[in-house]
Amino acid sequence: MKRVKYFAGAVLFVTLALGKVNAIRGLDAVLPGGEPFRDRQGQENDLLVNGDMEELPFYWEPPNHWIAGNWTRWWMGSVIPEYDDVRDWRPYRYDGDHAQIYFWYWPTAYTAGIYQRVAVQPCTFYQFSMYGRNHSDPGVDHHARIGIDPLGRIVDDPSITYFPPEFVWSPEQTFLHTWGLHTVTAESRSDHVTVITYVSPDRDHPPYDTFWDAGTLVQVTPPDGRIPGPSDWTPDGFITNVISYTSSGQLTIEWDTTEPASTQVWYSVRTPTEPTTPTVTLTHTTYLPLIARWKLPDFYTPADQSGGTHHQVTIQGLEVGQIVDFVILARRLVEYSCLTSPSDFFTVVAQ
C-alpha cells in the first residue's frame, strides 16, 4: 500500500482541550465503537461507503465530535469546528435522516472538511459529487469545494498544513441557505483515490455552518470521450496480437495487452476515388499494417476502462470498399503515472 505522509501535524492553540488526536487508520482498521472500515459500498456503481451518511452510525472523536461512519475529519490551522449529525435545532439534510455538519460561532473562521479513501482501478476516470450547504451572513464566501487525490494517499494526522499539487478540485461554490451540487472529475493514478470536502469561510462573519450530504463516486468516461493520447506515437510492444476481420459492413478488431489496461481505437473512414481491390485475402487472422496516408482519426470507439488483457471492438455502418485507418491505444499505470501506448497504424478495406 502506498503511504505518504503529506499531511504534517501541527500544534493546536485552541480553547478546547483535545488531548491526543487519533491519526487516520488503514482500511482494515476499526472505527471507534467497533465499526470497521469497508472498501466498497453495496450500491451499484457508487464506490463510496456511506456517501449518503445513512449506512453507518456516526462515531465519536474528542473533544465531543460526531463523524459520519467511514469518513474522517480534517482541519487546517488553529480553529477546529465542531462536527455533528443533524439535530432538531439544526435539521438540514439533502435527503434521508442524516448529514455531516460542522460549525463555529466565533469570528475566526475554520478551514476544514471530511475525507474518505476508496479502492479504484488505476488510470480510470472517476467523478466525485456531493451536495453542500453553507450558513452565515448574506454574501459571505465560504470557498466551498470538493476534491480528489488521484494518488489515494493516507492522511496520517487530521491537522494538515497543505494540499499536494496533484489534488484535483471542483470550482469554489457557496450555496448560502440552500443545497447545491459540487462535482469534480479526475483520473486515478493508483489503486486508491482520496475524496475530500473543503470549506474555508471569510472571517468575521460568524456563525459558520457547513452541511454535506448525498455523496457519490462513480466511474465516468474520459473528457471528450477519448483516453489521453500518447506523448510518443512509436509502438513500445505493450499492445500485441492485433487481428482484424470485416464482414457485412462491420470491422472487428481484437488485441492483447501485456497487463490490464484501459483501451480504445481511434479511426478514420474514407471512400476511395477508384475501386479498391485488397491484395491480401482478409481473414480473422489477417491485418494490414499500412501507415500511408495516416492522419489523426475522426472517430473513436467507446473507452473501455474495465481492465483486462484481451480486448475487442466492432466498428459498424461501413460500406464495402471503404478504407478504415486505425490505431489502438492502451493506458496503464507506471510508477504512479498513467502512460498511453500506441499500436502500429493499420489500414483495412471493408468487405
Side-chain angles (χ1 to χ4, degrees), residues 120-143:
V120 296
Q121 181 171 288
C123 297
T124 302
F125 286 85
Y126 292 93
Q127 180 175 276
F128 173 40
S129 300
M130 184 168 278
Y131 283 88
R133 182 184 179 114
N134 313 107
H135 288 189
S136 62
D137 291 343
V140 175
D141 193 343
H142 283 240
H143 303 281

Side-chain angles (χ1 to χ4, degrees), residues 234-240 256-258 341-342:
T234 304
D236 58 9
F238 183 71
I239 299 170
T240 63
D256 295 323
T257 51
T258 57
S341 295

Side-chain angles (χ1 to χ4, degrees), residues 185 188 238:
T185 300
S188 58
F238 183 71

Side-chain angles (χ1 to χ4, degrees), residues 230 232-239 327-330 340-345:
D232 184 351
W233 287 92
T234 304
D236 58 9
F238 183 71
I239 299 170
V327 62
I328 302 166
L329 302 182
T340 299
S341 295
S343 68
D344 288 313
F345 298 96

